[in-house]
Amino acid sequence: MSNFSAIDLRRAFGCFPTGVTVVTTRTGDGRRVGFTANSFTSVSMSPPLVLVCLDQRASVHESFANAPGFVVNILAGDQKETAVRFASKVADRFEGVACDDSGAGLPILRGNAAFFECVLDQAIPAGDHTILIGQVVGMDDTDAPALGYHGGSFNQLARPERADKNVAASDQPLVKA
Ligand SMILES: Cc1cc2nc3c(=O)[nH]c(=O)nc-3n(C[C@H](O)[C@H](O)[C@H](O)COP(=O)(O)O)c2cc1C
């Protein structure tokens, strides 16, 4: 028993500001599929792991649960329309969206702030969602400001001077697409 409703819970979750991603993959018969997600989290440096939580009721759930990998596209501040599109019921979410294919044929959205190409490491059922844990096998990043999401609204996050640009060169390169 709880003393809060699903609406209360959603509102409280929305107090945590996040970035916005579009997670993409390709089905066994070659169709591109994707969904907007703000549940993205970095998990581990070695091995490099990330996660995203996917609703088990989503139309794309089976496609992602059965795919060997996926791409997490971190949306740039000017990609709000893309975020809305990939959360909508349009027949083809990729129509009119500029994409490139990774070496493995997974869709990478052009103009993103960064992306992580992943091999599916684990798909863990958790309540009404599935936690997709991916091992990063390729990535790239830019200085573009990121799209933010807070309290149910999108916003463009200001890009401060990078605090991480002088990270010691002793860091071993992990992977780069
Ligand atoms: C900002 C934002 C963040 C979202 N984050 C998630 C998420 O992390 N996981 C998820 O399963 N759905 C998330 N959604 C919802 C899905 O994008 C969308 O509802 C889903 O793709 C539609 O399901 P359908 O394919 O069954 O139509 C989010 C939607 C928005 C607008």
PDB file of all heavy atoms in Angstrom, residues 20-22 24 71-79 82 98-100 107-116 139-147:
ATOM      1  N   VAL A  20      18.154  14.186 -22.422  1.00  0.00           N
ATOM      2  CA  VAL A  20      17.178  13.409 -23.202  1.00  0.00           C
ATOM      3  C   VAL A  20      17.945  12.618 -24.260  1.00  0.00           C
ATOM      4  O   VAL A  20      18.851  13.155 -24.914  1.00  0.00           O
ATOM      5  CB  VAL A  20      16.151  14.332 -23.897  1.00  0.00           C
ATOM      6  CG1 VAL A  20      15.088  13.506 -24.607  1.00  0.00           C
ATOM      7  CG2 VAL A  20      15.502  15.283 -22.895  1.00  0.00           C
ATOM      8  N   THR A  21      17.574  11.352 -24.416  1.00  0.00           N
ATOM      9  CA  THR A  21      18.207  10.506 -25.423  1.00  0.00           C
ATOM     10  C   THR A  21      17.145   9.937 -26.364  1.00  0.00           C
ATOM     11  O   THR A  21      15.965   9.878 -26.015  1.00  0.00           O
ATOM     12  CB  THR A  21      18.952   9.312 -24.790  1.00  0.00           C
ATOM     13  OG1 THR A  21      18.000   8.353 -24.301  1.00  0.00           O
ATOM     14  CG2 THR A  21      19.853   9.748 -23.644  1.00  0.00           C
ATOM     15  N   VAL A  22      17.602   9.548 -27.550  1.00  0.00           N
ATOM     16  CA  VAL A  22      16.801   8.663 -28.409  1.00  0.00           C
ATOM     17  C   VAL A  22      17.623   7.389 -28.559  1.00  0.00           C
ATOM     18  O   VAL A  22      18.790   7.432 -28.974  1.00  0.00           O
ATOM     19  CB  VAL A  22      16.490   9.295 -29.772  1.00  0.00           C
ATOM     20  CG1 VAL A  22      15.976   8.251 -30.763  1.00  0.00           C
ATOM     21  CG2 VAL A  22      15.448  10.396 -29.611  1.00  0.00           C
ATOM     22  N   THR A  24      18.142   3.778 -30.294  1.00  0.00           N
ATOM     23  CA  THR A  24      17.793   3.208 -31.598  1.00  0.00           C
ATOM     24  C   THR A  24      18.372   1.801 -31.752  1.00  0.00           C
ATOM     25  O   THR A  24      19.379   1.461 -31.125  1.00  0.00           O
ATOM     26  CB  THR A  24      18.369   4.074 -32.738  1.00  0.00           C
ATOM     27  OG1 THR A  24      19.786   4.151 -32.580  1.00  0.00           O
ATOM     28  CG2 THR A  24      17.775   5.472 -32.735  1.00  0.00           C
ATOM     29  N   VAL A  71      21.952   1.931 -29.927  1.00  0.00           N
ATOM     30  CA  VAL A  71      22.709   3.183 -29.848  1.00  0.00           C
ATOM     31  C   VAL A  71      21.938   4.149 -28.953  1.00  0.00           C
ATOM     32  O   VAL A  71      20.723   4.307 -29.113  1.00  0.00           O
ATOM     33  CB  VAL A  71      22.902   3.820 -31.244  1.00  0.00           C
ATOM     34  CG1 VAL A  71      23.536   5.208 -31.127  1.00  0.00           C
ATOM     35  CG2 VAL A  71      23.763   2.919 -32.133  1.00  0.00           C
ATOM     36  N   VAL A  72      22.637   4.765 -28.001  1.00  0.00           N
ATOM     37  CA  VAL A  72      22.049   5.843 -27.205  1.00  0.00           C
ATOM     38  C   VAL A  72      22.524   7.161 -27.796  1.00  0.00           C
ATOM     39  O   VAL A  72      23.729   7.451 -27.786  1.00  0.00           O
ATOM     40  CB  VAL A  72      22.475   5.755 -25.726  1.00  0.00           C
ATOM     41  CG1 VAL A  72      21.836   6.906 -24.934  1.00  0.00           C
ATOM     42  CG2 VAL A  72      22.095   4.415 -25.120  1.00  0.00           C
ATOM     43  N   ASN A  73      21.590   7.939 -28.363  1.00  0.00           N
ATOM     44  CA  ASN A  73      21.897   9.256 -28.920  1.00  0.00           C
ATOM     45  C   ASN A  73      21.557  10.308 -27.874  1.00  0.00           C
ATOM     46  O   ASN A  73      20.386  10.432 -27.480  1.00  0.00           O
ATOM     47  CB  ASN A  73      21.045   9.520 -30.162  1.00  0.00           C
ATOM     48  CG  ASN A  73      21.339   8.550 -31.289  1.00  0.00           C
ATOM     49  OD1 ASN A  73      22.212   8.799 -32.098  1.00  0.00           O
ATOM     50  ND2 ASN A  73      20.606   7.428 -31.329  1.00  0.00           N
ATOM     51  N   ILE A  74      22.546  11.045 -27.391  1.00  0.00           N
ATOM     52  CA  ILE A  74      22.286  12.144 -26.442  1.00  0.00           C
ATOM     53  C   ILE A  74      21.851  13.345 -27.281  1.00  0.00           C
ATOM     54  O   ILE A  74      22.628  13.831 -28.119  1.00  0.00           O
ATOM     55  CB  ILE A  74      23.560  12.531 -25.658  1.00  0.00           C
ATOM     56  CG1 ILE A  74      24.249  11.300 -25.052  1.00  0.00           C
ATOM     57  CG2 ILE A  74      23.249  13.606 -24.612  1.00  0.00           C
ATOM     58  CD1 ILE A  74      23.544  10.660 -23.924  1.00  0.00           C
ATOM     59  N   LEU A  75      20.626  13.811 -27.091  1.00  0.00           N
ATOM     60  CA  LEU A  75      20.107  14.859 -27.961  1.00  0.00           C
ATOM     61  C   LEU A  75      20.721  16.217 -27.647  1.00  0.00           C
ATOM     62  O   LEU A  75      20.958  16.564 -26.481  1.00  0.00           O
ATOM     63  CB  LEU A  75      18.586  14.949 -27.853  1.00  0.00           C
ATOM     64  CG  LEU A  75      17.811  13.715 -28.323  1.00  0.00           C
ATOM     65  CD1 LEU A  75      16.323  14.027 -28.382  1.00  0.00           C
ATOM     66  CD2 LEU A  75      18.294  13.216 -29.687  1.00  0.00           C
ATOM     67  N   ALA A  76      20.971  16.985 -28.722  1.00  0.00           N
ATOM     68  CA  ALA A  76      21.463  18.358 -28.584  1.00  0.00           C
ATOM     69  C   ALA A  76      20.276  19.284 -28.298  1.00  0.00           C
ATOM     70  O   ALA A  76      19.106  18.917 -28.489  1.00  0.00           O
ATOM     71  CB  ALA A  76      22.177  18.775 -29.870  1.00  0.00           C
ATOM     72  N   GLY A  77      20.598  20.486 -27.841  1.00  0.00           N
ATOM     73  CA  GLY A  77      19.577  21.427 -27.392  1.00  0.00           C
ATOM     74  C   GLY A  77      18.553  21.778 -28.452  1.00  0.00           C
ATOM     75  O   GLY A  77      17.416  22.145 -28.121  1.00  0.00           O
ATOM     76  N   ASP A  78      18.927  21.673 -29.745  1.00  0.00           N
ATOM     77  CA  ASP A  78      17.992  22.035 -30.819  1.00  0.00           C
ATOM     78  C   ASP A  78      17.237  20.817 -31.359  1.00  0.00           C
ATOM     79  O   ASP A  78      16.653  20.881 -32.438  1.00  0.00           O
ATOM     80  CB  ASP A  78      18.751  22.745 -31.954  1.00  0.00           C
ATOM     81  CG  ASP A  78      19.846  21.878 -32.569  1.00  0.00           C
ATOM     82  OD1 ASP A  78      20.012  20.712 -32.123  1.00  0.00           O
ATOM     83  OD2 ASP A  78      20.538  22.351 -33.494  1.00  0.00           O
ATOM     84  N   GLN A  79      17.229  19.702 -30.632  1.00  0.00           N
ATOM     85  CA  GLN A  79      16.575  18.473 -31.116  1.00  0.00           C
ATOM     86  C   GLN A  79      15.295  18.119 -30.350  1.00  0.00           C
ATOM     87  O   GLN A  79      14.919  16.950 -30.254  1.00  0.00           O
ATOM     88  CB  GLN A  79      17.561  17.301 -31.084  1.00  0.00           C
ATOM     89  CG  GLN A  79      18.671  17.456 -32.128  1.00  0.00           C
ATOM     90  CD  GLN A  79      19.612  16.269 -32.153  1.00  0.00           C
ATOM     91  OE1 GLN A  79      20.164  15.893 -31.116  1.00  0.00           O
ATOM     92  NE2 GLN A  79      19.781  15.664 -33.311  1.00  0.00           N
ATOM     93  N   THR A  82      12.838  16.138 -32.370  1.00  0.00           N
ATOM     94  CA  THR A  82      13.210  14.720 -32.483  1.00  0.00           C
ATOM     95  C   THR A  82      12.771  13.964 -31.236  1.00  0.00           C
ATOM     96  O   THR A  82      12.258  12.839 -31.321  1.00  0.00           O
ATOM     97  CB  THR A  82      14.737  14.597 -32.684  1.00  0.00           C
ATOM     98  OG1 THR A  82      15.105  15.411 -33.791  1.00  0.00           O
ATOM     99  CG2 THR A  82      15.152  13.167 -32.935  1.00  0.00           C
ATOM    100  N   ALA A  98      17.582  12.837 -40.147  1.00  0.00           N
ATOM    101  CA  ALA A  98      18.862  12.480 -40.766  1.00  0.00           C
ATOM    102  C   ALA A  98      19.637  11.521 -39.862  1.00  0.00           C
ATOM    103  O   ALA A  98      19.836  11.786 -38.676  1.00  0.00           O
ATOM    104  CB  ALA A  98      19.677  13.743 -41.020  1.00  0.00           C
ATOM    105  N   CYS A  99      20.052  10.393 -40.461  1.00  0.00           N
ATOM    106  CA  CYS A  99      20.739   9.339 -39.706  1.00  0.00           C
ATOM    107  C   CYS A  99      21.907   8.796 -40.503  1.00  0.00           C
ATOM    108  O   CYS A  99      21.900   8.825 -41.729  1.00  0.00           O
ATOM    109  CB  CYS A  99      19.815   8.144 -39.499  1.00  0.00           C
ATOM    110  SG  CYS A  99      18.680   8.300 -38.170  1.00  0.00           S
ATOM    111  N   ASP A 100      22.886   8.282 -39.812  1.00  0.00           N
ATOM    112  CA  ASP A 100      23.924   7.467 -40.422  1.00  0.00           C
ATOM    113  C   ASP A 100      23.841   6.089 -39.796  1.00  0.00           C
ATOM    114  O   ASP A 100      23.280   5.924 -38.713  1.00  0.00           O
ATOM    115  CB  ASP A 100      25.310   8.073 -40.147  1.00  0.00           C
ATOM    116  CG  ASP A 100      25.439   9.449 -40.778  1.00  0.00           C
ATOM    117  OD1 ASP A 100      25.252   9.552 -42.001  1.00  0.00           O
ATOM    118  OD2 ASP A 100      25.711  10.413 -40.039  1.00  0.00           O
ATOM    119  N   PRO A 107      21.251   2.743 -36.305  1.00  0.00           N
ATOM    120  CA  PRO A 107      21.050   4.149 -36.661  1.00  0.00           C
ATOM    121  C   PRO A 107      21.670   5.107 -35.640  1.00  0.00           C
ATOM    122  O   PRO A 107      21.429   4.985 -34.437  1.00  0.00           O
ATOM    123  CB  PRO A 107      19.519   4.301 -36.669  1.00  0.00           C
ATOM    124  CG  PRO A 107      18.958   2.924 -36.624  1.00  0.00           C
ATOM    125  CD  PRO A 107      19.986   2.061 -35.969  1.00  0.00           C
ATOM    126  N   ILE A 108      22.449   6.058 -36.162  1.00  0.00           N
ATOM    127  CA  ILE A 108      23.026   7.135 -35.345  1.00  0.00           C
ATOM    128  C   ILE A 108      22.419   8.438 -35.855  1.00  0.00           C
ATOM    129  O   ILE A 108      22.535   8.753 -37.051  1.00  0.00           O
ATOM    130  CB  ILE A 108      24.558   7.171 -35.476  1.00  0.00           C
ATOM    131  CG1 ILE A 108      25.163   5.850 -34.990  1.00  0.00           C
ATOM    132  CG2 ILE A 108      25.138   8.354 -34.700  1.00  0.00           C
ATOM    133  CD1 ILE A 108      26.656   5.719 -35.290  1.00  0.00           C
ATOM    134  N   LEU A 109      21.734   9.172 -34.975  1.00  0.00           N
ATOM    135  CA  LEU A 109      21.081  10.412 -35.392  1.00  0.00           C
ATOM    136  C   LEU A 109      22.132  11.495 -35.623  1.00  0.00           C
ATOM    137  O   LEU A 109      22.999  11.719 -34.775  1.00  0.00           O
ATOM    138  CB  LEU A 109      20.097  10.878 -34.310  1.00  0.00           C
ATOM    139  CG  LEU A 109      18.667  10.332 -34.371  1.00  0.00           C
ATOM    140  CD1 LEU A 109      18.617   8.838 -34.497  1.00  0.00           C
ATOM    141  CD2 LEU A 109      17.872  10.806 -33.175  1.00  0.00           C
ATOM    142  N   ARG A 110      22.015  12.185 -36.779  1.00  0.00           N
ATOM    143  CA  ARG A 110      22.919  13.311 -37.039  1.00  0.00           C
ATOM    144  C   ARG A 110      22.573  14.478 -36.125  1.00  0.00           C
ATOM    145  O   ARG A 110      21.409  14.677 -35.796  1.00  0.00           O
ATOM    146  CB  ARG A 110      22.801  13.777 -38.476  1.00  0.00           C
ATOM    147  CG  ARG A 110      23.609  12.930 -39.389  1.00  0.00           C
ATOM    148  CD  ARG A 110      23.870  13.594 -40.724  1.00  0.00           C
ATOM    149  NE  ARG A 110      24.111  12.524 -41.672  1.00  0.00           N
ATOM    150  CZ  ARG A 110      23.831  12.544 -42.954  1.00  0.00           C
ATOM    151  NH1 ARG A 110      23.301  13.630 -43.486  1.00  0.00           N
ATOM    152  NH2 ARG A 110      24.091  11.520 -43.707  1.00  0.00           N
ATOM    153  N   GLY A 111      23.584  15.234 -35.744  1.00  0.00           N
ATOM    154  CA  GLY A 111      23.354  16.445 -34.949  1.00  0.00           C
ATOM    155  C   GLY A 111      23.228  16.189 -33.466  1.00  0.00           C
ATOM    156  O   GLY A 111      22.887  17.101 -32.704  1.00  0.00           O
ATOM    157  N   ASN A 112      23.489  14.930 -33.046  1.00  0.00           N
ATOM    158  CA  ASN A 112      23.384  14.660 -31.609  1.00  0.00           C
ATOM    159  C   ASN A 112      24.561  15.296 -30.857  1.00  0.00           C
ATOM    160  O   ASN A 112      25.559  15.702 -31.453  1.00  0.00           O
ATOM    161  CB  ASN A 112      23.288  13.149 -31.341  1.00  0.00           C
ATOM    162  CG  ASN A 112      24.492  12.381 -31.854  1.00  0.00           C
ATOM    163  OD1 ASN A 112      25.596  12.925 -31.887  1.00  0.00           O
ATOM    164  ND2 ASN A 112      24.310  11.148 -32.278  1.00  0.00           N
ATOM    165  N   ALA A 113      24.426  15.390 -29.534  1.00  0.00           N
ATOM    166  CA  ALA A 113      25.512  15.950 -28.724  1.00  0.00           C
ATOM    167  C   ALA A 113      26.592  14.898 -28.484  1.00  0.00           C
ATOM    168  O   ALA A 113      27.772  15.237 -28.318  1.00  0.00           O
ATOM    169  CB  ALA A 113      24.967  16.455 -27.391  1.00  0.00           C
ATOM    170  N   ALA A 114      26.190  13.646 -28.461  1.00  0.00           N
ATOM    171  CA  ALA A 114      27.107  12.511 -28.256  1.00  0.00           C
ATOM    172  C   ALA A 114      26.320  11.247 -28.564  1.00  0.00           C
ATOM    173  O   ALA A 114      25.087  11.277 -28.617  1.00  0.00           O
ATOM    174  CB  ALA A 114      27.615  12.467 -26.812  1.00  0.00           C
ATOM    175  N   PHE A 115      27.055  10.155 -28.801  1.00  0.00           N
ATOM    176  CA  PHE A 115      26.342   8.875 -28.901  1.00  0.00           C
ATOM    177  C   PHE A 115      27.201   7.763 -28.329  1.00  0.00           C
ATOM    178  O   PHE A 115      28.434   7.879 -28.245  1.00  0.00           O
ATOM    179  CB  PHE A 115      25.942   8.560 -30.357  1.00  0.00           C
ATOM    180  CG  PHE A 115      27.077   8.084 -31.235  1.00  0.00           C
ATOM    181  CD1 PHE A 115      27.449   6.747 -31.269  1.00  0.00           C
ATOM    182  CD2 PHE A 115      27.771   8.981 -32.022  1.00  0.00           C
ATOM    183  CE1 PHE A 115      28.499   6.311 -32.072  1.00  0.00           C
ATOM    184  CE2 PHE A 115      28.819   8.558 -32.825  1.00  0.00           C
ATOM    185  CZ  PHE A 115      29.191   7.227 -32.846  1.00  0.00           C
ATOM    186  N   PHE A 116      26.518   6.704 -27.918  1.00  0.00           N
ATOM    187  CA  PHE A 116      27.181   5.488 -27.434  1.00  0.00           C
ATOM    188  C   PHE A 116      26.601   4.312 -28.202  1.00  0.00           C
ATOM    189  O   PHE A 116      25.387   4.063 -28.126  1.00  0.00           O
ATOM    190  CB  PHE A 116      26.944   5.291 -25.931  1.00  0.00           C
ATOM    191  CG  PHE A 116      27.425   6.445 -25.101  1.00  0.00           C
ATOM    192  CD1 PHE A 116      26.540   7.416 -24.673  1.00  0.00           C
ATOM    193  CD2 PHE A 116      28.763   6.584 -24.798  1.00  0.00           C
ATOM    194  CE1 PHE A 116      26.975   8.501 -23.939  1.00  0.00           C
ATOM    195  CE2 PHE A 116      29.225   7.666 -24.070  1.00  0.00           C
ATOM    196  CZ  PHE A 116      28.324   8.633 -23.642  1.00  0.00           C
ATOM    197  N   MET A 139      31.748   5.352 -29.715  1.00  0.00           N
ATOM    198  CA  MET A 139      31.155   6.584 -29.179  1.00  0.00           C
ATOM    199  C   MET A 139      31.747   7.787 -29.876  1.00  0.00           C
ATOM    200  O   MET A 139      32.774   7.696 -30.550  1.00  0.00           O
ATOM    201  CB  MET A 139      31.421   6.706 -27.669  1.00  0.00           C
ATOM    202  CG  MET A 139      32.877   6.615 -27.301  1.00  0.00           C
ATOM    203  SD  MET A 139      33.325   7.578 -25.838  1.00  0.00           S
ATOM    204  CE  MET A 139      33.254   9.247 -26.469  1.00  0.00           C
ATOM    205  N   ASP A 140      31.077   8.919 -29.725  1.00  0.00           N
ATOM    206  CA  ASP A 140      31.664  10.204 -30.109  1.00  0.00           C
ATOM    207  C   ASP A 140      30.941  11.263 -29.296  1.00  0.00           C
ATOM    208  O   ASP A 140      29.819  11.050 -28.834  1.00  0.00           O
ATOM    209  CB  ASP A 140      31.509  10.449 -31.610  1.00  0.00           C
ATOM    210  CG  ASP A 140      32.551  11.447 -32.123  1.00  0.00           C
ATOM    211  OD1 ASP A 140      33.389  11.905 -31.316  1.00  0.00           O
ATOM    212  OD2 ASP A 140      32.508  11.769 -33.313  1.00  0.00           O
ATOM    213  N   ASP A 141      31.617  12.398 -29.105  1.00  0.00           N
ATOM    214  CA  ASP A 141      30.992  13.485 -28.357  1.00  0.00           C
ATOM    215  C   ASP A 141      31.366  14.815 -28.974  1.00  0.00           C
ATOM    216  O   ASP A 141      32.326  14.905 -29.732  1.00  0.00           O
ATOM    217  CB  ASP A 141      31.402  13.436 -26.879  1.00  0.00           C
ATOM    218  CG  ASP A 141      32.878  13.656 -26.673  1.00  0.00           C
ATOM    219  OD1 ASP A 141      33.677  12.895 -27.246  1.00  0.00           O
ATOM    220  OD2 ASP A 141      33.246  14.609 -25.965  1.00  0.00           O
ATOM    221  N   THR A 142      30.545  15.832 -28.687  1.00  0.00           N
ATOM    222  CA  THR A 142      30.729  17.164 -29.252  1.00  0.00           C
ATOM    223  C   THR A 142      30.631  18.179 -28.114  1.00  0.00           C
ATOM    224  O   THR A 142      30.365  17.816 -26.967  1.00  0.00           O
ATOM    225  CB  THR A 142      29.618  17.487 -30.271  1.00  0.00           C
ATOM    226  OG1 THR A 142      28.399  17.707 -29.537  1.00  0.00           O
ATOM    227  CG2 THR A 142      29.429  16.365 -31.275  1.00  0.00           C
ATOM    228  N   ASP A 143      30.807  19.451 -28.467  1.00  0.00           N
ATOM    229  CA  ASP A 143      30.619  20.511 -27.476  1.00  0.00           C
ATOM    230  C   ASP A 143      29.213  21.104 -27.535  1.00  0.00           C
ATOM    231  O   ASP A 143      28.940  22.130 -26.919  1.00  0.00           O
ATOM    232  CB  ASP A 143      31.649  21.627 -27.703  1.00  0.00           C
ATOM    233  CG  ASP A 143      33.022  21.218 -27.185  1.00  0.00           C
ATOM    234  OD1 ASP A 143      33.078  20.344 -26.287  1.00  0.00           O
ATOM    235  OD2 ASP A 143      34.028  21.750 -27.676  1.00  0.00           O
ATOM    236  N   ALA A 144      28.320  20.462 -28.293  1.00  0.00           N
ATOM    237  CA  ALA A 144      26.962  21.017 -28.439  1.00  0.00           C
ATOM    238  C   ALA A 144      26.241  21.033 -27.095  1.00  0.00           C
ATOM    239  O   ALA A 144      26.369  20.086 -26.316  1.00  0.00           O
ATOM    240  CB  ALA A 144      26.160  20.169 -29.430  1.00  0.00           C
ATOM    241  N   PRO A 145      25.473  22.085 -26.826  1.00  0.00           N
ATOM    242  CA  PRO A 145      24.648  22.064 -25.618  1.00  0.00           C
ATOM    243  C   PRO A 145      23.620  20.941 -25.721  1.00  0.00           C
ATOM    244  O   PRO A 145      23.193  20.590 -26.818  1.00  0.00           O
ATOM    245  CB  PRO A 145      23.969  23.437 -25.600  1.00  0.00           C
ATOM    246  CG  PRO A 145      24.237  24.070 -26.898  1.00  0.00           C
ATOM    247  CD  PRO A 145      25.291  23.290 -27.623  1.00  0.00           C
ATOM    248  N   ALA A 146      23.255  20.361 -24.584  1.00  0.00           N
ATOM    249  CA  ALA A 146      22.344  19.216 -24.582  1.00  0.00           C
ATOM    250  C   ALA A 146      20.901  19.659 -24.340  1.00  0.00           C
ATOM    251  O   ALA A 146      20.654  20.710 -23.748  1.00  0.00           O
ATOM    252  CB  ALA A 146      22.765  18.216 -23.516  1.00  0.00           C
ATOM    253  N   LEU A 147      19.970  18.814 -24.795  1.00  0.00           N
ATOM    254  CA  LEU A 147      18.554  19.018 -24.486  1.00  0.00           C
ATOM    255  C   LEU A 147      18.313  18.527 -23.057  1.00  0.00           C
ATOM    256  O   LEU A 147      18.816  17.473 -22.660  1.00  0.00           O
ATOM    257  CB  LEU A 147      17.701  18.218 -25.479  1.00  0.00           C
ATOM    258  CG  LEU A 147      16.189  18.443 -25.415  1.00  0.00           C
ATOM    259  CD1 LEU A 147      15.841  19.892 -25.752  1.00  0.00           C
ATOM    260  CD2 LEU A 147      15.473  17.498 -26.375  1.00  0.00           C
TER     261      LEU A 147
END
